[in-house]
Amino acid sequence: MRIAHVITRMILGGAQENTLLTCQGLRERYGDDVLLITGPALGPEGTLLDRAEASGLPVAIVPSLRRAIHPLRDATSYLAIRRRLREFAPEVVHTHSAKGGILGRAAAHALAVPAIVHTVHGAPFYEYQSAVTRQFYIACERWAARRCHHLVSVADAMTDCMVAAGVAPRERFTTVYSGMEVKPFLEAEFHRLRVRQALGYRDEHVVVGKIARLFELKGHADVIEAARNVVARNPQVRFLFVGDGVLRTELQSQIDRAGLHEYFQFTGLVPPTRIPELIAGVDLVVHASLREGLARVLPQAMLVGRAVVSYDIDGAREVVLPDRTGILLRPRDVAGLALAIEQLAADPERRARYGAAGRELCRDRFSHDRMTDELRALYARLLAARPPLGR
């Protein structure tokens, strides 16, 4: 097949790694002709473009394609994407992210591409937006859904969200869990001692890891607030923030004001290849995000064998099974977050039990080969059936 993937930017993120692994898998497993169309990877979140280029994946950069809404740049991006698609002449166009998804679907529809697919990695509308902003994004998604043949959700929760908002009927969605390279996580325990020594942790320290961009709605401030009570009761607990972003200075100031400087450590930006060993270096993982499709760090932590604590948002409940793989909390329940961390920090047997169950749950479900195979089968069905565009 000739397949084009369109995404707004290739920063270090779950949707971006999903897209890259899909493109690589289609080429390696099926011999497909694949083109990745994306904007520049701007900002402090890093880039996956070097990995794409090193693998030989053809990449077309659209300089004007950015995350923020900008009518002139967006019109320029639409024309550039349409031009690239016309030159490539794909049988399938698969779009990702809000901006790339809307412009990519519009361009593919204008060119009458036989199969147009969009993946919902996370809804662009959510409860913390103003009503006007939320309704605007819902209207955009409804408009774009009428210009594609099928939608893929990375979790059943994303389908529920989009159907409830009237974006498209349920029968036009398929859940395909976001795949990853599972082997490095399954083998990560080998690195534990070296990583802990490098980070300065002693045997008696119980390390709580949070892996996420330092960005709004990712919940770092809630973890810092919870840490006040945690370290007051268990001074051997330490916190490791993995990632970088625009909130680094603000979060460091919050830590300093709380007198928690000695309990927190930032790794800064790290390549995705280091995530398995860093998870191996911690004892449990917290995910306090307020908006996510299905955060990759949850299955990643489970594959390493770590217990998790997560807010009950979007697809988290599909892997965080209470009293089996982790602890699920109401969003913004900082007191509950502190209590959950305290309980797990004091109970290594419970942590081990959750970690083992999580590993068994995620081992096959989140394989990138499985993801690629399921998407490739979907493309084949769409091309064979030639379904009408959504209404």
Side-chain angles (χ1 to χ4, degrees):
M1 295 181 189
R2 291 176 67 80
I3 305 166
H5 281 256
V6 183
I7 188 168
T8 309
R9 54 184 185 158
M10 288 295 288
I11 60 168
L12 298 181
Q16 292 75 17
E17 187 175 8
N18 167 301
T19 303
L20 177 59
L21 288 172
T22 300
C23 290
Q24 292 173 332
L26 290 168
R27 298 178 77 228
E28 295 166 5
R29 293 174 70 79
Y30 295 95
D32 290 329
D33 192 359
V34 181
L35 173 67
L36 174 62
I37 302 174
T38 185
L42 303 174
E45 297 95 346
T47 178
L48 287 174
L49 287 173
D50 51 352
R51 280 179 59 186
E53 292 165 359
S55 71
L57 175 66
V59 178
I61 302 293
V62 177
S64 56
L65 183 55
R66 312 290 175 88
R67 186 169 182 263
I69 295 174
H70 188 288
L72 180 58
R73 274 205 305 260
D74 295 344
T76 302
S77 299
Y78 165 76
L79 293 173
I81 292 170
R82 191 172 71 175
R83 183 170 62 253
R84 292 287 189 176
L85 291 178
R86 184 188 297 112
E87 294 168 353
F88 185 61
E91 299 165 88
V92 179
V93 168
H94 189 158
T95 65
H96 309 260
S97 66
K99 178 68 71 65
I102 291 171
L103 298 181
R105 279 179 280 179
H109 172 257
L111 296 172
V113 172
I116 306 171
V117 178
H118 176 69
T119 289
V120 183
H121 296 275
F125 49 87
Y126 47 93
E127 63 177 296
Y128 301 100
Q129 293 169 316
S130 69
V132 171
T133 300
R134 178 180 170 83
Q135 289 305 313
F136 170 75
Y137 281 122
I138 289 174
C140 289
E141 287 299 320
R142 289 174 179 169
W143 181 89
R146 295 194 294 271
R147 286 155 178 81
C148 71
H149 299 95
H150 206 76
L151 296 108
V152 173
S153 297
V154 297
D156 293 338
M158 288 293 91
T159 297
D160 295 340
C161 173
M162 301 298 270
V163 170
V167 171
R170 189 172 295 274
E171 60 268 19
R172 291 189 54 222
F173 289 85
T174 297
T175 295
V176 178
Y177 286 112
S178 187
M180 59 194 71
E181 296 176 287
V182 299
K183 186 177 179 182
F185 293 95
L186 294 172
E187 299 176 348
E189 196 67 27
F190 171 80
H191 303 284
R192 177 175 171 82
L193 181 59
R194 174 181 59 81
V195 169
R196 288 177 70 91
Q197 288 177 340
L199 293 171
Y201 296 128
R202 299 192 300 273
D203 291 345
E204 64 268 26
H205 288 151
V206 178
V207 185
V208 180
K210 176 163 177 54
I211 297 93
R213 290 183 295 134
L214 308 182
F215 199 67
E216 60 180 344
L217 301 180
K218 291 295 186 180
H220 294 86
D222 284 8
V223 176
I224 297 169
E225 185 63 28
R228 291 173 179 264
N229 290 330
V230 174
V231 300
R233 297 186 179 95
N234 188 340
Q236 300 305 325
V237 174
R238 297 293 185 270
F239 294 83
L240 181 69
F241 282 174
V242 179
D244 206 349
V246 296
L247 296 183
R248 171 83 179 249
T249 301
E250 181 179 326
L251 293 171
Q252 187 65 68
S253 296
Q254 182 186 356
I255 290 167
D256 292 341
R257 290 195 303 271
L260 297 172
H261 180 76
E262 67 178 292
Y263 297 97
F264 277 84
Q265 187 171 172
F266 291 79
T267 67
L269 191 66
V270 299
T273 52
R274 285 203 63 208
I275 297 301
E277 65 179 52
L278 287 168
I279 294 177
V282 307
D283 298 286
L284 65 139
V285 170
V286 296
H287 184 66
S289 176
L290 298 172
R291 176 189 172 223
E292 208 85 45
L294 198 168
R296 291 168 78 79
V297 69
L298 294 175
Q300 287 173 346
M302 293 178 189
L303 287 167
V304 178
R306 296 297 177 263
V308 297
V309 178
S310 175
Y311 283 164
D312 186 5
I313 55 104
D314 298 332
R317 64 175 58 187
E318 294 173 40
V319 291
V320 184
L321 310 180
D323 202 32
R324 181 180 166 194
T325 64
I327 298 175
L328 209 55
L329 304 167
R330 289 181 295 103
R332 287 266 161 90
D333 181 5
V334 176
L337 182 62
L339 180 60
I341 293 171
E342 290 173 33
Q343 290 175 341
L344 287 177
D347 194 342
E349 291 185 3
R350 187 179 177 189
R351 295 200 306 267
R353 175 163 51 88
Y354 286 177
R359 177 182 286 230
E360 190 63 29
L361 175 70
C362 296
R363 184 191 303 268
D364 295 321
R365 186 182 295 190
F366 290 92
S367 160
H368 70 89
D369 287 340
R370 176 173 175 171
M371 172 186 69
T372 301
D373 292 345
E374 291 180 359
L375 291 174
R376 185 53 157 67
L378 172 63
Y379 301 160
R381 291 197 302 271
L382 293 174
L383 288 173
R386 296 295 173 99
L389 289 169
R391 291 192 296 272

